[in-house]
Amino acid sequence: MGQFQLYFQLGIQHILDLDGFDHILFVVALCAIYILRDWKKIIILVTAFTVGHSLTLALATLNLIKVDTDLVEFLIPVTIGITALSNILKPKPSTGKGLQINYLFALFFGLIHGLGFSNYLRSLLGKEASLFEPLLAFNIGLEVGQLVIVAIFMTAAGILNGIIGVNRRDWALVISSIVMGMSIMMMIDTKFW
């Protein structure tokens, strides 16, 4: 297996790992207020998150920034909770054509999430002569993994909203409330306290 493929698979596994389901929860929270026809907005949100994640992951892996691990592990569920709370307070997406605040949140929260995996990735990359290709492959894998989550979640939402007739607003509120509850439990369980 080539280096690119190895790190690409690591990126996908990082996102889809059920033991570290924080990314899955965050992507679900990002998608909860949207429907299938909003797919362009969802891809922009997920990509904004990936850009932020990639940036701090690269900076931390290269030892250009260093943040207390316990703080990062606390802030990750905080970002999930804020996203879910935002959905609860406003269960429908903005209809404007310009830059939406959700995109900036996704980018900023991606910055925090990227710090969470940097120590592990730094230990893997310690032997590599060049970090560019592994980091690129990992982040492309990350994006693909997120798009898999989006596809599964939005298909389920489409079936429940469009075919079974579950109210879109109720769906957004229930999903966001569940994610919010799980994020609170994650905050409580961190070593930050």
Side-chain angles (χ1 to χ4, degrees), residues 14-122:
H14 172 60
I15 289 297
L16 300 179
D17 183 7
L18 294 178
D19 289 333
F21 60 93
D22 57 322
H23 275 104
I24 296 171
L25 281 179
F26 188 73
V27 172
V28 165
L30 284 177
C31 295
I33 61 173
Y34 293 98
I35 57 176
L36 282 173
R37 74 169 177 246
D38 296 325
W39 65 270
K40 288 180 186 175
K41 290 179 182 179
I42 296 167
I43 289 175
I44 292 170
L45 275 172
V46 168
T47 302
F49 176 75
T50 302
V51 168
H53 190 281
S54 302
L55 195 66
T56 53
L57 184 60
L59 292 173
T61 302
L62 295 168
N63 288 317
L64 297 175
I65 58 171
K66 201 168 199 118
V67 180
D68 179 47
T69 306
D70 291 341
L71 177 62
V72 172
E73 292 303 318
F74 174 73
L75 289 176
I76 288 172
V78 168
T79 65
I80 297 166
I82 290 171
T83 304
L85 180 61
S86 173
N87 293 346
I88 292 167
L89 297 175
K90 190 174 180 237
K92 284 192 172 183
S94 300
T95 55
K97 299 277 188 203
L99 182 67
Q100 295 178 16
I101 192 78
N102 289 1
Y103 300 148
L104 296 176
F105 275 141
L107 177 69
F108 179 70
F109 291 166
L111 293 171
I112 294 169
H113 285 244
L115 293 169
F117 197 67
S118 60
N119 289 335
Y120 173 72
L121 191 60
R122 188 179 318 124

Side-chain angles (χ1 to χ4, degrees), residues 117-172:
F117 197 67
S118 60
N119 289 335
Y120 173 72
L121 191 60
R122 188 179 318 124
S123 68
L124 286 177
L125 293 172
K127 309 173 242 41
E128 302 293 343
S130 170
L131 298 180
F132 177 75
E133 184 181 348
L135 279 170
L136 177 66
F138 182 84
N139 287 308
I140 291 172
L142 189 81
E143 182 77 358
V144 169
Q146 290 178 153
L147 293 175
V148 167
I149 296 166
V150 167
I152 293 168
F153 181 78
M154 295 311 296
T155 299
I159 291 168
L160 289 168
N161 296 148
I163 297 171
I164 297 176
V166 172
N167 180 285
R168 177 181 173 186
R169 182 179 178 278
D170 292 346
W171 167 259

